[in-house]
Amino acid sequence: MTFPQDPQDPNHQDHQDNDMHDEDEIIQDDEIDEVLEGDDAEGDVAMDSDDDHEMGEGDEEILLHNDSIAYFDAHKDSVFAIAQHPIYPQLIATGGSEGEADDAPGKGYVIDTSAAVSRPVLPPSYQSDPSAGQQQNTELTPIFEIDGHTDSINAIAFTLPKGDFLASAGMDGRLRVYAVGTGHNQFQFKFIAESQETEEINWLLPCPSADFPNTLALGASDGSVWVFTIDPTDAASPIQIVQSYFLHTGPCTAGAWSPDGNLLATVSEDASMHVFDVWGVAAAKNLITDNGQTVVSLTEADQRFAVEGGLYSVAISPSGNFVAAGGAGGNIKIVGLPRLSEQPQQTKPTASRPAPAIRGPAGRRMPAPSQRSSAAAGTEPSAQAGAILASLAVQGDSIETLAFSPLPQTLLAAGSVDGSIAVYDTSRSFAVRKHIRGAHDGEAIVKVDFVKSATSQPGTHGWLLTSCGLDGVVRRWDLRGATASQQTVQGGTAVSGLMKEWRGHSGGEGGGVLGFVQGETGERVVTAGDDGVVLVFEA
């Protein structure tokens, strides 16, 4: 998901509720005197005192709840982006705006969360008086400031595999790169170079391949896609353009690298999806399309792929066998990818194109029986590149975030603007495993992400999912157990699956959680708040 979004975009629901109520009336300046003069008052009328006023049914008691162990509040406006160092998970980079003004510059910080003091587990005796054992939150201070942007920083990333560089990308179209030094238990940052090839950058992702280290991909509001490699030894061109693509006709809203770093999938508001052969591996095997750049290119011209309103999220499965693209109306398209590296043989459909679909619950498009039988439990489907394996439509509004579970689990999680999370089992023809309605109290879900390695909780590997939303809450779900087609969160308690939730952001308009990082184990979750605050939570 890209923040902030254009509120005038007719094809995409805004993440903030800006509806004006027709019944609200505003008293104009020239009417104030008339109101005062019309009052029959020889003197001031005293307001009800606390003693005389009793709380009615419409009164609401406001309770402040903060589960965080540390906070960082130097940002003067929304925190749009957050990133975590791949080797030193305590190193967190954030990006946002320096103020609320339209011309406010972008600003970012790097903080070290190792200073956050863990809270001890309190004995049951404290439950009767929680304030007695309340511990003060740790205030974090920046160890480096990211500047040089003339507009908001809305994407930030450390390069892979070792985090040698930190890159910030902004709505000003600038990509700024800093070298990261980690010697002698200290972190140093040095500005390397800046590149500006487009007017506005929407997202930024590091390439996961160790064969192509310190490589970044970005998508822009003009639809262009760029791949850069950082090489500071080249003084003349430390930020080198590897590839640039111009196939999207609308803003490029999201991107995803394949696990091996060979392919880059991107989607756009124009409802197109392209999977680029960045390093020419597919071309060497004669697996590219007629345009010579992609292994898959699908647009709304193909009615089977058409999503009215555009696409806003994308993810590639851990096996690299297929890609999921999510968009308006709760639509998710599952598309086959070519096999570029050696993998265990799997049964392929005999037909060259998907068999006729069968409509499942809630209009969900299910593969035909021949396809369902080819996907054994614990495996992922494999098909011809470009084949549409499934069209899913369980949720009622735009799919803003997609995530695959780590192997050996075969789950796909989707977060929607309607506040629900849908979990599909890719090994069983993308059958719905869980549909958690109201997972975030009806507010848009911004991000879902599986815990990669649950070492502290044996038996949960691949089953733990973390989510955040515009309600200002972070929640963790255990997706084990019997399949449930519908679950509802009521009063902050899920029917099943909710392990834990963390509160601290204000929530609602201007107070949602716009992103988080949780490392490999998920033991600490660090959030980026629309309220300008970064919070550290402990599992």
Side-chain angles (χ1 to χ4, degrees), residues 231 390 419:
D231 182 8

Side-chain angles (χ1 to χ4, degrees), residues 292-446:
Q293 296 178 314
T294 65
V295 296
V296 170
S297 285
L298 291 169
T299 69
E300 60 182 358
D302 186 338
Q303 291 300 311
R304 300 171 304 160
F305 188 76
V307 175
E308 184 178 356
L311 299 172
Y312 297 94
S313 56
V314 64
I316 296 179
S317 67
S319 66
N321 283 343
F322 59 90
V323 57
N331 288 284
I332 301 174
K333 302 293 183 178
I334 309 295
V335 181
L337 294 176
R339 184 160 48 218
L340 301 183
S341 56
E342 292 299 324
Q343 298 178 4
Q345 291 294 324
Q346 293 181 340
T347 304
K348 290 186 178 182
T350 56
S352 59
R353 61 176 58 188
I358 296 176
R359 291 290 171 181
R364 180 170 57 90
R365 182 184 184 276
M366 299 178 64
S370 61
Q371 289 176 271
R372 294 201 297 270
S373 62
S374 68
T379 64
E380 291 184 344
S382 180
Q384 179 183 0
I388 299 176
L389 304 179
S391 293
L392 313 173
V394 170
Q395 293 154 288
D397 213 326
S398 178
I399 306 299
E400 294 296 301
T401 173
L402 292 165
F404 284 99
S405 63
L407 296 173
Q409 306 306 331
T410 55
L411 304 178
L412 168 64
S416 172
V417 168
D418 69 7
S420 73
I421 297 174
V423 182
Y424 304 90
D425 192 335
T426 68
S427 68
R428 292 177 170 82
S429 302
F430 304 95
V432 179
R433 183 177 183 87
K434 293 181 185 293
H435 183 196
I436 310 171
R437 298 178 181 274
H440 281 269
D441 302 325
E443 295 285 351
I445 293 176
V446 178

Side-chain angles (χ1 to χ4, degrees), residues 10-86:
N11 293 327
H12 188 52
Q13 177 175 335
D14 188 14
H15 297 276
Q16 303 294 335
D17 185 8
N18 295 322
D19 294 338
M20 297 295 294
H21 299 285
D22 295 334
E23 64 271 16
D24 292 343
E25 295 183 2
I26 300 176
I27 299 177
Q28 304 298 325
D29 292 341
D30 57 358
E31 300 176 16
I32 294 177
D33 293 338
E34 298 178 9
V35 173
L36 294 176
E37 292 174 0
D39 288 339
D40 184 13
E42 296 180 357
D44 294 336
V45 178
M47 297 177 63
D48 290 340
S49 67
D50 292 338
D51 295 334
D52 297 332
H53 178 71
E54 294 182 3
M55 181 174 288
E57 294 182 358
D59 295 330
E60 192 172 314
E61 183 179 3
I62 299 176
L63 298 177
L64 299 179
H65 189 108
N66 191 348
D67 299 312
S68 66
I69 62 171
Y71 68 95
F72 175 72
D73 61 357
H75 284 278
K76 296 181 180 179
D77 200 7
S78 301
V79 185
F80 296 123
I82 189 167
Q84 188 169 30
H85 195 280

Side-chain angles (χ1 to χ4, degrees), residues 182-195:
T182 56
H184 305 291
N185 296 322
Q186 292 184 339
F187 300 107
Q188 301 90 27
F189 297 83
K190 178 183 178 182
F191 177 70
I192 297 297
E194 174 184 295
S195 176

Side-chain angles (χ1 to χ4, degrees), residues 105-168:
K107 186 73 173 182
Y109 299 92
V110 180
I111 57 178
D112 185 350
T113 61
S114 61
V117 179
S118 298
R119 288 182 179 173
V121 178
L122 299 177
S125 59
Y126 281 102
Q127 294 179 2
S128 60
D129 185 13
S131 62
Q134 195 168 24
Q135 179 177 331
Q136 192 74 17
N137 282 16
T138 303
E139 180 180 2
L140 302 176
T141 56
I143 61 176
F144 181 72
E145 297 186 6
I146 303 168
D147 52 21
H149 288 275
T150 58
D151 207 337
S152 299
I153 297 174
N154 60 344
I156 200 163
F158 287 97
T159 58
L160 295 174
K162 297 181 179 180
D164 293 331
F165 301 96
L166 171 65
S168 60

